[in-house]
Short mmCIF file of all heavy atoms in Angstrom, two decimals:
data_model
loop_
_atom_site.label_atom_id
_atom_site.label_comp_id
_atom_site.label_asym_id
_atom_site.label_seq_id
_atom_site.Cartn_x
_atom_site.Cartn_y
_atom_site.Cartn_z
N TYR A 251 -2.26 -13.74 29.88
CA TYR A 251 -3.18 -14.88 29.71
C TYR A 251 -2.67 -16.09 30.51
O TYR A 251 -3.41 -16.73 31.23
CB TYR A 251 -3.30 -15.22 28.22
CG TYR A 251 -3.97 -16.55 27.96
CD1 TYR A 251 -5.36 -16.68 28.05
CD2 TYR A 251 -3.22 -17.68 27.66
CE1 TYR A 251 -5.98 -17.90 27.83
CE2 TYR A 251 -3.84 -18.91 27.44
CZ TYR A 251 -5.21 -19.01 27.53
OH TYR A 251 -5.81 -20.22 27.31
N ASN A 362 -2.58 -30.02 21.73
CA ASN A 362 -3.11 -28.74 21.26
C ASN A 362 -4.21 -28.98 20.21
O ASN A 362 -5.27 -28.34 20.24
CB ASN A 362 -2.01 -27.88 20.65
CG ASN A 362 -1.06 -27.32 21.71
OD1 ASN A 362 -1.22 -27.59 22.88
ND2 ASN A 362 -0.08 -26.54 21.30
N LEU A 363 -3.97 -29.91 19.28
CA LEU A 363 -4.95 -30.15 18.22
C LEU A 363 -6.23 -30.79 18.77
O LEU A 363 -7.34 -30.40 18.39
CB LEU A 363 -4.34 -31.04 17.12
CG LEU A 363 -3.24 -30.38 16.29
CD1 LEU A 363 -2.62 -31.39 15.33
CD2 LEU A 363 -3.76 -29.17 15.52
N ASN A 366 -8.26 -28.29 20.78
CA ASN A 366 -9.01 -27.41 19.88
C ASN A 366 -10.23 -28.12 19.30
O ASN A 366 -11.31 -27.54 19.19
CB ASN A 366 -8.13 -26.94 18.73
CG ASN A 366 -7.22 -25.80 19.15
OD1 ASN A 366 -7.35 -25.27 20.25
ND2 ASN A 366 -6.29 -25.42 18.28
N ALA A 367 -10.04 -29.39 18.92
CA ALA A 367 -11.16 -30.15 18.32
C ALA A 367 -12.30 -30.29 19.32
O ALA A 367 -13.47 -30.40 18.93
CB ALA A 367 -10.67 -31.53 17.88
N ILE A 368 -11.98 -30.23 20.62
CA ILE A 368 -13.04 -30.30 21.65
C ILE A 368 -13.59 -28.89 21.93
O ILE A 368 -14.79 -28.65 21.90
CB ILE A 368 -12.49 -30.93 22.95
CG1 ILE A 368 -12.05 -32.37 22.66
CG2 ILE A 368 -13.51 -30.87 24.07
CD1 ILE A 368 -11.23 -33.01 23.76
N LYS A 369 -12.64 -27.93 22.14
CA LYS A 369 -13.05 -26.55 22.49
C LYS A 369 -13.94 -25.93 21.43
O LYS A 369 -14.91 -25.25 21.72
CB LYS A 369 -11.79 -25.66 22.56
CG LYS A 369 -11.11 -25.60 23.86
CD LYS A 369 -10.08 -24.47 24.02
CE LYS A 369 -9.21 -24.06 22.93
NZ LYS A 369 -8.18 -23.07 23.29
N TYR A 370 -13.54 -26.13 20.14
CA TYR A 370 -14.26 -25.45 19.05
C TYR A 370 -15.32 -26.35 18.42
O TYR A 370 -15.82 -26.07 17.34
CB TYR A 370 -13.27 -24.93 17.99
CG TYR A 370 -12.31 -23.92 18.58
CD1 TYR A 370 -11.00 -24.25 18.87
CD2 TYR A 370 -12.76 -22.65 18.92
CE1 TYR A 370 -10.13 -23.33 19.45
CE2 TYR A 370 -11.91 -21.72 19.51
CZ TYR A 370 -10.59 -22.08 19.77
OH TYR A 370 -9.76 -21.16 20.36
N ASN A 371 -15.66 -27.43 19.11
CA ASN A 371 -16.70 -28.33 18.63
C ASN A 371 -18.04 -27.87 19.20
O ASN A 371 -18.08 -27.04 20.11
CB ASN A 371 -16.39 -29.75 19.09
CG ASN A 371 -16.85 -30.78 18.09
OD1 ASN A 371 -17.90 -30.61 17.48
ND2 ASN A 371 -16.07 -31.83 17.92
N ASP A 394 -12.89 -32.93 13.33
CA ASP A 394 -14.03 -32.68 14.23
C ASP A 394 -15.23 -32.27 13.40
O ASP A 394 -15.08 -31.91 12.22
CB ASP A 394 -13.67 -31.60 15.27
CG ASP A 394 -13.42 -30.24 14.66
OD1 ASP A 394 -14.37 -29.63 14.13
OD2 ASP A 394 -12.26 -29.77 14.70
N ASN A 397 -17.81 -26.13 14.32
CA ASN A 397 -18.28 -25.02 13.48
C ASN A 397 -17.38 -24.72 12.30
O ASN A 397 -17.77 -24.03 11.37
CB ASN A 397 -18.37 -23.74 14.33
CG ASN A 397 -19.51 -23.85 15.30
OD1 ASN A 397 -20.49 -24.55 15.02
ND2 ASN A 397 -19.39 -23.21 16.45
N GLY A 398 -16.15 -25.22 12.34
CA GLY A 398 -15.23 -25.00 11.21
C GLY A 398 -14.65 -23.59 11.21
O GLY A 398 -14.93 -22.77 12.09
N ILE A 399 -13.83 -23.33 10.18
CA ILE A 399 -13.13 -22.05 10.06
C ILE A 399 -13.39 -21.53 8.64
O ILE A 399 -13.30 -22.32 7.68
CB ILE A 399 -11.61 -22.25 10.26
CG1 ILE A 399 -11.33 -22.94 11.62
CG2 ILE A 399 -10.84 -20.94 10.19
CD1 ILE A 399 -9.99 -23.63 11.68
N ILE A 407 -4.53 -19.07 10.58
CA ILE A 407 -4.69 -19.66 11.92
C ILE A 407 -3.41 -20.16 12.54
O ILE A 407 -3.36 -20.38 13.74
CB ILE A 407 -5.76 -20.79 11.94
CG1 ILE A 407 -5.44 -21.80 10.87
CG2 ILE A 407 -7.17 -20.24 11.83
CD1 ILE A 407 -6.25 -23.06 11.03
N ASP A 409 -0.68 -18.37 12.49
CA ASP A 409 0.09 -17.18 12.88
C ASP A 409 0.04 -17.02 14.40
O ASP A 409 -0.98 -17.31 15.03
CB ASP A 409 -0.51 -15.89 12.25
CG ASP A 409 -0.32 -15.86 10.76
OD1 ASP A 409 0.38 -16.77 10.23
OD2 ASP A 409 -0.89 -14.97 10.12
N TYR A 412 -3.03 -15.37 16.43
CA TYR A 412 -4.24 -15.21 15.62
C TYR A 412 -5.40 -16.02 16.21
O TYR A 412 -5.24 -17.19 16.56
CB TYR A 412 -4.00 -15.65 14.16
CG TYR A 412 -5.20 -15.34 13.31
CD1 TYR A 412 -5.41 -14.06 12.83
CD2 TYR A 412 -6.17 -16.31 13.05
CE1 TYR A 412 -6.55 -13.74 12.09
CE2 TYR A 412 -7.30 -16.01 12.31
CZ TYR A 412 -7.49 -14.73 11.84
OH TYR A 412 -8.61 -14.43 11.12
N ARG A 413 -6.56 -15.41 16.30
CA ARG A 413 -7.77 -16.10 16.73
C ARG A 413 -8.88 -15.76 15.74
O ARG A 413 -9.08 -14.59 15.40
CB ARG A 413 -8.20 -15.67 18.14
CG ARG A 413 -7.10 -15.82 19.19
CD ARG A 413 -7.66 -15.92 20.59
NE ARG A 413 -8.29 -17.20 20.81
CZ ARG A 413 -9.32 -17.39 21.63
NH1 ARG A 413 -9.83 -16.38 22.28
NH2 ARG A 413 -9.84 -18.60 21.79
N ALA A 414 -9.57 -16.78 15.27
CA ALA A 414 -10.62 -16.54 14.26
C ALA A 414 -11.81 -15.84 14.90
O ALA A 414 -12.03 -15.95 16.12
CB ALA A 414 -11.04 -17.87 13.63
N ALA A 415 -12.59 -15.14 14.06
CA ALA A 415 -13.76 -14.42 14.56
C ALA A 415 -14.70 -15.42 15.22
O ALA A 415 -14.86 -16.55 14.75
CB ALA A 415 -14.46 -13.73 13.39
N SER A 417 -14.29 -16.61 18.26
CA SER A 417 -13.62 -17.44 19.28
C SER A 417 -13.49 -16.70 20.61
O SER A 417 -12.93 -17.26 21.56
CB SER A 417 -12.21 -17.82 18.81
OG SER A 417 -12.26 -18.42 17.57
N ILE A 420 -14.31 -18.34 23.91
CA ILE A 420 -13.61 -19.59 24.24
C ILE A 420 -12.20 -19.24 24.70
O ILE A 420 -11.53 -18.40 24.08
CB ILE A 420 -13.59 -20.52 23.01
CG1 ILE A 420 -15.04 -20.85 22.63
CG2 ILE A 420 -12.80 -21.79 23.28
CD1 ILE A 420 -15.23 -21.46 21.28
N LYS A 421 -11.75 -19.89 25.79
CA LYS A 421 -10.42 -19.59 26.35
C LYS A 421 -9.33 -19.81 25.33
O LYS A 421 -9.32 -20.84 24.64
CB LYS A 421 -10.15 -20.54 27.51
CG LYS A 421 -10.68 -20.11 28.84
CD LYS A 421 -10.13 -21.07 29.87
CE LYS A 421 -10.83 -20.94 31.19
NZ LYS A 421 -10.40 -22.00 32.09
N GLY A 422 -8.39 -18.90 25.24
CA GLY A 422 -7.27 -19.11 24.31
C GLY A 422 -6.45 -17.85 24.12
O GLY A 422 -6.91 -16.75 24.42
N ALA A 423 -5.22 -18.04 23.62
CA ALA A 423 -4.33 -16.89 23.39
C ALA A 423 -3.85 -16.86 21.95
O ALA A 423 -3.05 -16.02 21.57
CB ALA A 423 -3.14 -16.98 24.32
N GLY A 424 -4.31 -17.80 21.13
CA GLY A 424 -3.87 -17.84 19.73
C GLY A 424 -2.44 -18.33 19.57
O GLY A 424 -1.76 -18.01 18.60
N LEU A 425 -1.97 -19.12 20.53
CA LEU A 425 -0.59 -19.62 20.47
C LEU A 425 -0.52 -21.11 20.11
O LEU A 425 0.49 -21.58 19.62
CB LEU A 425 0.08 -19.43 21.84
CG LEU A 425 0.75 -18.09 22.08
CD1 LEU A 425 1.27 -18.01 23.50
CD2 LEU A 425 1.91 -17.87 21.11
N GLY A 426 -1.61 -21.84 20.39
CA GLY A 426 -1.59 -23.30 20.26
C GLY A 426 -1.18 -23.78 18.88
O GLY A 426 -0.26 -24.60 18.75
N LEU A 427 -1.82 -23.27 17.83
CA LEU A 427 -1.51 -23.75 16.47
C LEU A 427 -0.16 -23.26 15.99
O LEU A 427 0.53 -23.95 15.25
CB LEU A 427 -2.60 -23.32 15.48
CG LEU A 427 -3.94 -24.05 15.63
CD1 LEU A 427 -4.94 -23.54 14.59
CD2 LEU A 427 -3.76 -25.55 15.48
N TYR A 428 0.23 -22.06 16.43
CA TYR A 428 1.57 -21.56 16.09
C TYR A 428 2.62 -22.53 16.64
O TYR A 428 3.55 -22.93 15.94
CB TYR A 428 1.75 -20.15 16.67
CG TYR A 428 3.18 -19.65 16.61
CD1 TYR A 428 3.72 -19.24 15.40
CD2 TYR A 428 3.99 -19.63 17.74
CE1 TYR A 428 5.04 -18.81 15.33
CE2 TYR A 428 5.29 -19.20 17.67
CZ TYR A 428 5.81 -18.79 16.47
OH TYR A 428 7.11 -18.37 16.40
N SER A 445 -10.97 -26.96 6.23
CA SER A 445 -12.14 -26.65 7.03
C SER A 445 -13.22 -26.01 6.19
O SER A 445 -12.94 -25.42 5.14
CB SER A 445 -11.74 -25.71 8.16
OG SER A 445 -12.80 -25.59 9.07
N GLY A 450 -17.10 -28.54 10.19
CA GLY A 450 -15.96 -29.07 10.93
C GLY A 450 -14.61 -28.84 10.27
O GLY A 450 -14.53 -28.25 9.19
N SER A 451 -13.56 -29.29 10.96
CA SER A 451 -12.18 -29.06 10.50
C SER A 451 -11.39 -30.35 10.58
O SER A 451 -11.67 -31.21 11.42
CB SER A 451 -11.48 -28.04 11.40
OG SER A 451 -12.30 -26.93 11.64
N PHE A 453 -7.25 -31.32 10.83
CA PHE A 453 -5.84 -30.92 10.90
C PHE A 453 -5.01 -32.19 10.70
O PHE A 453 -5.23 -33.18 11.40
CB PHE A 453 -5.51 -30.29 12.26
CG PHE A 453 -6.09 -28.91 12.41
CD1 PHE A 453 -7.40 -28.74 12.82
CD2 PHE A 453 -5.33 -27.78 12.11
CE1 PHE A 453 -7.95 -27.48 12.94
CE2 PHE A 453 -5.87 -26.51 12.23
CZ PHE A 453 -7.18 -26.36 12.64
P1 LIG B 641 -6.44 -20.60 20.81
O1 LIG B 641 -7.26 -21.85 20.81
O2 LIG B 641 -5.67 -20.40 22.06
O3 LIG B 641 -7.21 -19.40 20.41
P2 LIG B 641 -4.91 -21.71 18.55
O4 LIG B 641 -3.65 -21.18 17.98
O5 LIG B 641 -4.91 -23.10 19.05
O6 LIG B 641 -5.29 -20.68 19.70
O7 LIG B 641 -6.03 -21.56 17.45
C1 LIG B 641 -6.12 -20.36 16.69
C2 LIG B 641 -7.55 -20.12 16.26
O8 LIG B 641 -7.91 -21.09 15.24
C3 LIG B 641 -8.57 -20.33 17.36
O9 LIG B 641 -8.74 -19.13 18.10
C4 LIG B 641 -9.82 -20.71 16.59
O10 LIG B 641 -10.45 -19.53 16.13
C5 LIG B 641 -9.27 -21.45 15.37
N1 LIG B 641 -9.33 -22.93 15.55
C6 LIG B 641 -8.33 -23.74 15.92
N2 LIG B 641 -8.71 -25.05 15.90
C7 LIG B 641 -10.00 -25.04 15.51
C8 LIG B 641 -10.98 -26.07 15.27
N3 LIG B 641 -10.71 -27.36 15.44
N4 LIG B 641 -12.22 -25.67 14.85
C9 LIG B 641 -12.52 -24.38 14.66
N5 LIG B 641 -11.63 -23.35 14.86
C10 LIG B 641 -10.41 -23.68 15.28
#
Side-chain angles (χ1 to χ4, degrees):
Y251 167 78
N362 288 1
L363 292 174
N366 280 352
I368 297 167
K369 272 194 322 187
Y370 298 105
N371 213 323
D394 65 67
N397 290 332
I399 305 158
I407 53 168
D409 292 353
Y412 186 80
R413 307 202 72 211
S417 306
I420 299 166
K421 274 188 193 172
L425 273 175
L427 288 181
Y428 169 75
S445 190
S451 314
F453 288 84

